[in-house]
Amino acid sequence: MTDLTLELNINSASDLEYVNHITKMNVYAVVTLLGDKKIQKVKTAVDRHGGSNPNWNHAFKFSVNERLAREGRLTLVVGLFSGRVLGDKDIGKVEIPLVYLLPSTNDYSNGHGMKFVTYQVRTPSERMKGSLTFSYRFNGTAVIYGPVHQQGPTSWAPPPSQHGYGPYPYMSQPPPPTGYGYEGPPQYRKNEERLAKADLLVSAVSLLR
């Protein structure tokens, strides 16, 4: 199995739900990679000035098992919290199946720039409120595996700006079969036979003249 390096930069969030009733929100993010035996977790610094529009620009790296990622078994979770003296308050989170972030199977390169994406934030009450922006790239050597069945996500924040609702391209349906093969229905074949006989008759009369 190949280990890739996922470079992440948690840039900022905007228009987050205000969970503090009196004081200003001090927002930080907790980024977790779930699905592997070893859970990887990173916490950003606390933004004490941005309120519901925090900025972090916090860069870090995760080690990614490529096979688990391509099988849809790894999930990137970014939880947003407001730090408080009496206990931190949950603002919301973004959950992204890592397979949606993977490039094509041979598109890993240290020279590629970071890709910026923006996702909606899901609040604890299951509402979409605010957005999270981060940049990322994968470094490593790709291994071409066979086709893998990917199951669609059940509960995650769909990316509004670049991925749509998943990696499934639209496929037009083939035309419905006629049930008669390539010759068409019986009545069509009978008409063709009549026309052929008429053509032969006309040819014979022309020869007699």
Side-chain angles (χ1 to χ4, degrees):
M1 296 184 183
T2 302
D3 277 342
L4 305 173
T5 298
L6 170 60
E7 297 183 19
L8 277 167
N9 191 325
I10 304 299
N11 300 103
S12 62
S14 62
D15 195 27
L16 298 177
E17 184 172 45
Y18 216 90
V19 297
N20 289 16
H21 298 294
I22 301 175
T23 61
K24 190 174 184 178
M25 289 200 306
N26 299 318
V27 184
Y28 65 92
V30 176
V31 187
T32 310
L33 184 61
L34 299 175
D36 206 343
K37 293 181 180 179
K38 180 182 177 182
I39 296 177
Q40 301 176 71
K41 182 180 293 188
V42 172
K43 177 182 175 181
T44 70
V46 178
D47 185 327
R48 303 184 183 277
H49 307 286
S52 58
N53 300 286
N55 285 275
W56 301 286
N57 286 320
H58 188 100
F60 55 93
K61 298 179 181 181
F62 280 155
S63 178
V64 175
N65 183 302
E66 185 187 6
R67 178 178 288 278
L68 294 181
R70 291 206 174 275
E71 290 175 351
R73 296 162 61 184
L74 300 183
T75 303
L76 186 69
V77 181
V78 183
L80 303 176
F81 302 89
S82 176
R84 304 190 306 177
V85 176
L86 299 178
D88 296 353
K89 187 75 172 180
D90 187 2
I91 300 173
K93 65 181 178 180
V94 171
E95 296 179 271
I96 313 142
L98 203 63
V99 66
Y100 288 3
L101 301 181
L102 284 173
S104 60
T105 51
N106 59 355
D107 193 24
Y108 302 94
S109 172
N110 293 332
H112 285 191
M114 304 285 279
K115 182 174 183 179
F116 284 81
V117 291
T118 298
Y119 286 82
Q120 290 180 290
V121 176
R122 187 185 298 274
T123 69
S125 61
E126 298 299 318
R127 291 193 310 115
M128 292 299 186
K129 173 61 175 169
S131 61
L132 172 76
T133 297
F134 65 89
S135 55
Y136 74 95
R137 68 180 171 189
F138 288 90
N139 290 323
T141 304
V143 174
I144 309 300
Y145 295 114
V148 176
H149 172 71
Q150 297 175 358
Q151 183 177 359
T154 55
S155 61
W156 59 286
S161 62
Q162 77 336 332
H163 284 299
Y165 289 90
Y168 310 106
Y170 173 76
M171 296 179 64
S172 59
Q173 294 184 352
T178 62
Y180 301 107
Y182 293 101
E183 297 179 353
Q187 60 268 26
Y188 177 79
R189 294 199 299 269
K190 290 180 180 179
N191 290 336
E192 288 292 325
E193 292 172 358
R194 293 193 188 100
L195 290 174
K197 290 178 179 178
D199 289 340
L200 291 174
L201 181 60
V202 171
S203 300
V205 170
S206 300
L207 291 174
L208 290 175
R209 290 179 181 176

